[in-house]
Amino acid sequence: MRTIEADYLVVGAGAMGMAFVDTLVTETEARVVLVDRNHQPGGHWTMAYPFVRLHQPSAFYGVNSLRLGTDSIDEIGWNQGLYELATAGEVCAYYDQVLRRQLLASGRVTYFPMSEYRGDGRFTTLAGADYAVDVARRIVDATYMRVTVPAMRPPPYPVAPGVTCVPPNDLPKLRAHQRYVVVGAGKTGIDTCLWLLGQGIAPDRLTWIMPRDSWLLDRARMQPGSLFAERIKISFIAQLRAISDATSVDDLFARLEESGGLLRIDPAVRPTMYRCATVTRAELEQLRRIGDVVRMGHLLRVEEDRMVLDGGTAARDGDALYIDCTADGAEKRPATPIFDAGRITLQSVRGCQQIFSAALIAHVEAAYRDDPARNELCVPLPHPDTDLDWLRLAQADYANQLRWLDDPDLTAWMSAARLDLFGHLIGHLLPPASAKPRVRDRILGIAKSVFSATATKLDALLGEQTSLATP
């Protein structure tokens, strides 16, 4: 067994692992061993379906030190008028560039692809070589969030012989079918429905199995740059006002929907799910064209002549192609302390912003001296799943933002972090660094007061909802 010395052993070269290593290498002289089971960096992107695109602008994705894409505005398609969304191929090529031209070129990163981590700083390569890493600082777990895509596992329900059920990856390679059954209502299900409609498949040839309806975010309200500054400012103030004026959780969702902050596919069905999925208004119009939406819970099995679901059965078309979109790409994992003795466990510290979170954790590791201080700044937020999780994430985001605004050095770092989507949004409300100190301090004081009141109100609404749910 060979022994390697390093300051950090990072397990996982997915999006979070790459963002962490990039910031660590940029801000310190640390030596890093990066171990990954895939053949190239990018994690789940290496197995993503070919037509997938980011659900947020490329400007907010990747690593802090290198821009992803060209910051261009889409001129065609259902994302027209908004900032570009990178494809799976572009994301994979980008991470390969980051690895080779920046991380490996630094001379301080050693990369082991196709390697299985065994625990305790040990791993085995594809060739069968065993290594042990003598870690001076920490082992970093960049796999804790367990991102899973359909191509990584078979469907979680039995499928009768003769029935074709494939992951979205296979769609572009298959012959045409009379009917397509999309199983799952998350981001992957949305992408698959839109891809089929975009290929000219008539909506009456689609069946969409939707166990739960989801609240969706309007992507037009998550854009960088001055072009959208006024729109972002208006929508952010509308969110603050909706929270302030809400008399109950149901009233809050009604106000958020009325202001355009949250969207739903069917106006007649109240969503009970929230997974941070974004759509444009044009995409929403397309999704609403699908009339055969099966709302009978999860698919339990596909038999020769019918589908069996939680809430009953539905007839099965003989030539239907099933597309399994049920993998949990953002599993709701229990929160655990991020900084521990000899260990870092990467998790989200801002709602639905895993990549920025990983970069922030690396900065806090580099810039702060003790773990209690680090953990106070980096409070983990489990991925959302239910509608109430929107409130929990928002409450935690405002509470975390208050902590960060109390630290001038951290605030300065975040203002320059291109991955910080939420920071870009509230940046339209805060004064620039060039503002006079008195003006800046006064406006920051107002912002802190508003954020504090907003977090308190969300906490109260959640408390009331818990009381109502308790028998």
Side-chain angles (χ1 to χ4, degrees), residues 52-64:
V52 68
R53 288 180 177 268
L54 288 171
H55 268 233
Q56 61 181 285
S58 300
F60 296 130
Y61 203 83
V63 301
N64 251 339

Side-chain angles (χ1 to χ4, degrees), residues 162-165 177-181 207 316-322:
V163 177
T164 304
C165 183
H177 285 254
Q178 183 58 38
R179 175 156 294 277
Y180 297 85
V181 181
T207 295
R316 187 182 80 80
D317 190 300
D319 188 42
L321 174 68
Y322 287 76

